[in-house]
Each structure stands twice: as C-alpha cells, then as structure tokens.
Amino acid sequence: MKIGFIGLGHMGSAMAANLVKAGHHVTVFNRSPEKRRKLVELGAHEAARIADACRGEAVITMLADDAALSSVALADGGIIGSLPRGAIHVSMSTISVALARELTKAHAGAGQRFIAAPVFGRPEAAAAAKLFIVAAGEPAAVETCLPLFNALGQKTLPISPEPAAANLVKLSGNFLLASAIEALGEAIALVSKAGVDRRAYVELLTSTIFPAPVYATYGGLIAANRFEPAAFTAALGFKDIRLALAAAESLRVPMPLGSLLHDRFLRLLAEGGESLDWSALGGLAGRDAGDARAPG
C-alpha cells in the first residue's frame, strides 16, 4: 500500500521501519528531520510537510498526546485538509475518547475514513512486529488496513465500528497495567524490607501464580530499580490515567483506584520523575517504607 507515517518516536520509528521492510510504499514525516532521514536510509520516502505524507491510500499517526495529534490532523495544512476523499487516517496513538470522536466527525465531513488502532506493547515489541493492535472503525476500512497491521503486530483485534471504543479499551488496559505496577511495587517493598531478595521474589511470582509478561517485565524493573532509559515515560503514564479518569467521569463510572494512581503519578512527577520509565511508579512504595534498597 502507498501510505504516510507521521510520528517517529521510539514506537513510531520501529513501526515505520517494519512497514518499509514489508514492502509498503511509506512516506514519513516528523518534526525532527534527523528521525526522517534514518527511515529514508531504509527505503522510506521523506515528506517535508504533513501534506506530503497524505498522498496515498492511508496515513498512520503515532503521536504522544491529544495536543500533538490535533496539531497534525486538525490544523491548516494538516491531515484532514490534505488526505484524499475515501482515504483512511489510522490513529495508533493513545488519545482521549473525546478527541477520537472529534476526529471521526471531522474525517466524515471531509469524505475520509477514520480508524482508531492503538497498540499494546513496548518499543521492543514494536521493533519485533509483536504488537497487539486494537482496531475500531468502519469494518471495510479496518479490512483494508489489515496488511498494514499484519506488518506491525502479532494480532489485530477488531473491537467496534465506533473508533472511540478502541481508545477507551486502550486507556482501560493502561489503567490495569499501572495498577499492576503499583501493586507490584507495594508487594516488593513489603518483602524487601523484611529481608527477602527482591529479584528472587519476582522470579517466584512469575513462575507460579503470576506467569504473565506484565509481572515479569515490570516486576524485574522494580526489583532492579532500573527506570532509565524509559521505554514509556511516567509523564505519558500520568497522561493516560488522566484520560481514563476523564472517560470514567463522562460515563459516571467511579474509579477509586484510578484516582489513587493519579495521585501516585503526580507525586512521582513532582519529585522529578517525569522522564523515568513509568515503572518508577512501583519504586515509590519502597521509599515510603524507608527501605534502603529502594531508589532515592
């Protein structure tokens, strides 16, 4: 397929590279030219403007937050003003439900199609094309994009004809991940202060009652106090919890644990942890307990 790709951060650069390797005609755009050049060396085409990345059958965006996506999609010279009628905007970012609905309406008004397809997986999964993709939108549009999704992930899970549903599912998933990180941090702090080896404890958990990647990955990071370099920053984790709570408020769904996570992230950021991996959330419990093994 002839496509554009906008947003070449840790996730986006790996995803765009996999699309090039799969044989798609990929035109890339990023505010930082050096990130575009690395993809061009792999065989991608370089776009000097957003509009230049919107000449094909679809354009994929992988951007950090609502503000970044709005500036790319809704501003003058952006995606909606540049994408051909009938073409597809595939938003793979973690954004608010409200923005997903706004984009759905704006694209429909321009005769375009909009799919929300956020992903589960860290940068190493993106590089290995092992992402899980939650896709929502017009079924025919999702079907058209399956060759792209197959190049990016190990499984695509269509969830709804309403794009915003995929973003709600993604936010709910990140809420669960953050909950697991907080719970792991508290449990590790408990046993660690009593003298139990942190790494041995995580190995015990992940080889018995919690044999899941989330516990192995984040438990290992917390046990080792290894929060740099960040694969997913605490600032982005905080953003996702805020978006989950906003969606919950609009639906009148109490999320007391979500409110706790909001305040825990806020404390982490207030202490200068904005650029740490979001698993640093799990390091707070050890500090609260006065455990000398916890990061200071």
Side-chain angles (χ1 to χ4, degrees):
M1 289 179 67
K2 183 178 181 181
I3 62 168
F5 199 107
I6 300 173
L8 302 175
H10 291 309
M11 296 289 289
S13 58
M15 294 163 68
N18 283 333
L19 289 166
V20 172
K21 292 172 187 175
H24 295 285
H25 183 287
V26 184
T27 300
V28 295
F29 177 83
N30 197 80
R31 300 289 186 191
S32 305
E34 64 274 9
K35 292 184 177 180
R36 302 199 300 257
R37 295 189 191 109
K38 291 178 182 178
L39 272 297
V40 170
E41 290 173 4
L42 288 177
H45 303 268
E46 184 174 8
R49 304 172 302 154
I50 292 170
D52 296 332
C54 298
R55 307 299 189 204
E57 302 162 73
V59 60
I60 295 173
T61 51
M62 190 63 176
L63 298 159
D65 53 29
D66 280 26
L69 182 54
S70 293
S71 69
V72 163
L74 298 170
D76 290 342
I79 293 172
I80 290 171
S82 306
L83 199 63
R85 292 182 65 84
I88 305 167
H89 173 195
V90 184
S91 169
M92 305 192 79
S93 313
T94 303
I95 59 169
S96 69
V97 171
L99 179 57
R101 288 175 176 154
E102 182 180 359
L103 289 171
T104 300
K105 183 177 180 180
H107 279 294
Q112 302 152 353
R113 294 179 288 175
F114 178 68
I115 293 174
V119 302
F120 287 110
R122 287 166 69 87
E124 55 268 29
K130 295 295 184 182
L131 296 169
F132 291 98
I133 300 168
V134 182
E138 175 191 310
V142 173
E143 183 75 21
T144 296
C145 292
L146 282 180
L148 305 177
F149 299 152
N150 290 340
L152 297 172
Q154 58 182 302
K155 190 171 186 178
T156 298
L157 302 108
I159 197 73
S160 171
E162 171 55 49
N167 295 109
L168 184 61
V169 168
K170 169 61 175 174
L171 292 171
S172 74
N174 279 13
F175 158 73
L176 287 170
L177 289 172
S179 301
I181 291 169
E182 174 65 23
L184 277 165
E186 293 182 22
I188 290 170
L190 175 65
V191 301
S192 177
K193 194 169 183 182
V196 175
D197 182 87
R198 297 156 67 92
R199 290 181 175 85
Y201 175 67
V202 171
E203 184 177 353
L204 181 152
L205 290 178
T206 56
S207 63
T208 55
I209 55 175
F210 293 113
V214 61
Y215 286 91
T217 298
Y218 292 115
L221 292 173
I222 295 166
N225 295 331
R226 191 171 67 251
F227 307 130
E228 294 180 285
F232 185 73
T233 66
L236 290 175
F238 180 52
K239 178 263 296 184
D240 289 352
I241 294 301
R242 288 191 293 106
L243 294 183
L245 288 172
E249 182 177 345
S250 71
L251 292 167
R252 300 295 186 263
V253 176
M255 294 184 73
L257 182 52
S259 297
L260 170 67
L261 291 169
H262 175 280
D263 288 352
R264 295 293 274 174
F265 269 116
L266 191 58
R267 176 186 161 192
L268 179 60
L269 269 57
E271 294 180 356
E274 188 163 333
S275 62
L276 296 177
D277 192 86
W278 74 326
S279 55
L281 178 73
L284 292 177
R287 301 213 297 274
D288 290 344
D291 186 356
R293 301 169 186 80

